[in-house]
Amino acid sequence: MTKRIGPLLFDVALLVVSVMSCDRPQDMTFDIVHNPCEPLVVVPAEGSTLAERGNLAQAVELWNQAVSAQLTLDDLPDAPRLPVRFEDGALAIYGVYEDEEGKVLINRRLGGLAQVVTIAHELGHSFGLYHVAKSQRLSVMNKGNLVVAPNAGDVSDVRAIWGDCREGS
């Protein structure tokens, strides 16, 4: 049974998960990662709005175009699934990849491009990508990024982990 928590509790829970998942010095390993070169079903949670589903589709398409990923919103029976849930949260927290459970939480208070890029950022974490310092380069994986889509540097980072998706996995 799924239990729905109120917005204030969600803010606190998302903050704790965010601190734990992204900034934990003692845990520098993603427990669950997905190979973007293999089929992966990205599943919006029940109750996701039409706009949220559209933003999710755009984020999936950004990665599919950038690295020839095989992400889809269509049901594929034997493919792994990556659940994505939208919830109200504090505006200081955009999204979280919960690597121990292999799911994404996105702040539904974001909209448009900001939400698309946040989803793309969290999908990057699900591929095993870590944050990239802005001083190093612009990246979809910059902390706090709301505008930079996956780019050549991000493609290179994915290829370093998974190989070139165009050549098969």
Side-chain angles (χ1 to χ4, degrees):
M1 179 171 109
T2 302
K3 184 177 179 184
R4 188 157 171 85
I5 58 178
L8 179 58
L9 255 130
F10 176 77
D11 288 350
V12 172
L14 192 54
L15 178 60
V16 169
V17 169
S18 177
V19 169
M20 290 172 55
S21 65
C22 293
D23 298 324
R24 231 181 339 183
Q26 71 271 22
D27 184 4
M28 293 302 295
T29 303
F30 287 113
D31 294 311
I32 297 174
V33 293
H34 298 283
N35 181 346
C37 300
E38 296 179 356
L40 175 64
V41 180
V42 182
V43 183
E46 189 176 316
S48 299
T49 68
L50 188 58
E52 290 163 346
R53 289 173 184 270
N55 290 342
L56 183 58
Q58 287 180 52
V60 162
E61 189 57 25
L62 286 175
W63 279 114
N64 286 347
Q65 288 180 4
V67 298
S68 299
Q70 294 189 43
L71 309 179
T72 183
L73 297 170
D74 298 327
D75 187 28
L76 300 176
D78 296 328
R81 281 153 173 59
L82 177 61
V84 178
R85 192 174 88 223
F86 297 87
E87 292 282 346
D88 287 331
L91 283 177
I93 302 167
Y94 305 144
V96 174
Y97 176 59
E98 294 181 349
D99 66 291
E100 277 100 15
E101 297 180 38
K103 63 184 179 183
V104 172
L105 295 171
I106 299 295
N107 191 337
R108 74 169 12 131
R109 292 183 183 177
L110 297 174
L113 178 64
Q115 192 175 72
V116 171
V117 170
T118 298
I119 296 167
H121 175 98
E122 299 308 332
L123 290 174
H125 284 313
S126 81
F127 306 152
L129 300 181
Y130 289 93
H131 288 137
V132 173
K134 286 181 188 174
S135 60
Q136 183 181 345
R137 67 177 165 83
L138 289 179
S139 167
V140 71
M141 300 310 299
N142 295 144
K143 264 187 169 180
N145 171 38
L146 294 175
V147 296
V148 179
N151 58 36
D154 301 311
V155 171
S156 178
D157 290 347
V158 168
R159 287 182 180 162
I161 297 170
W162 300 107
D164 190 337
C165 293
R166 295 173 298 183
E167 297 172 6
S169 38

